[in-house]
Amino acid sequence: VVKNGEAKDIAMANVDAALREIQVALQANAELAARVTSSKADSQTISVSFTVSGDKSEEGIAADQAAVGEVRTIVQAVAEKHGLGEDNWHVRVGGAPKQRRR
């Protein structure tokens, strides 16, 4: 019998293990690693923040979409492997830093 507190500990251990695995997987791809602005977890949720290039050409947009898809795929696959559901992770996508005009 798993008591409520134990279930939380197990879930947290899974979140931590999944986060470490996700970080390793993202670091293995230099192009993706360069765009990950943060990857962290609270007690139940893994959060990965990712920046798009801001390239407005068709190729740039397609490359950004592919990269975001790849990050989501990695995060989802690792999360599922650790028994985490869709509500236990999210990938935030941010725009490229805008050039400020003076």
Side-chain angles (χ1 to χ4, degrees):
V1 176
V2 176
K3 293 181 189 72
N4 205 9
E6 286 176 32
K8 274 197 187 125
D9 290 344
I10 292 167
M12 216 172 147
N14 288 359
V15 167
D16 289 341
L19 178 64
R20 280 193 299 276
E21 203 172 313
I22 287 164
Q23 288 169 332
V24 168
L26 293 173
Q27 287 300 320
N29 182 327
E31 196 178 315
L32 293 182
R35 295 193 192 188
V36 173
T37 52
S38 80
S39 54
K40 57 186 186 278
D42 60 21
S43 58
Q44 293 129 22
T45 312
I46 294 168
S47 173
V48 176
S49 296
F50 186 78
T51 305
V52 292
S53 68
D55 181 345
K56 298 285 186 236
S57 70
E58 273 183 46
E59 295 84 14
I61 291 168
D64 282 342
Q65 286 175 337
V68 170
E70 209 171 325
V71 171
R72 284 180 203 258
T73 301
I74 290 168
V75 174
Q76 183 175 11
V78 173
E80 285 175 357
K81 186 176 124 186
H82 288 275
L84 305 173
E86 291 268 329
D87 53 344
N88 293 113
W89 62 270
H90 58 263
V91 175
R92 280 200 184 94
V93 180
K98 297 208 171 16
Q99 297 298 316
R100 295 174 88 184
R101 292 204 181 129
R102 294 180 183 212

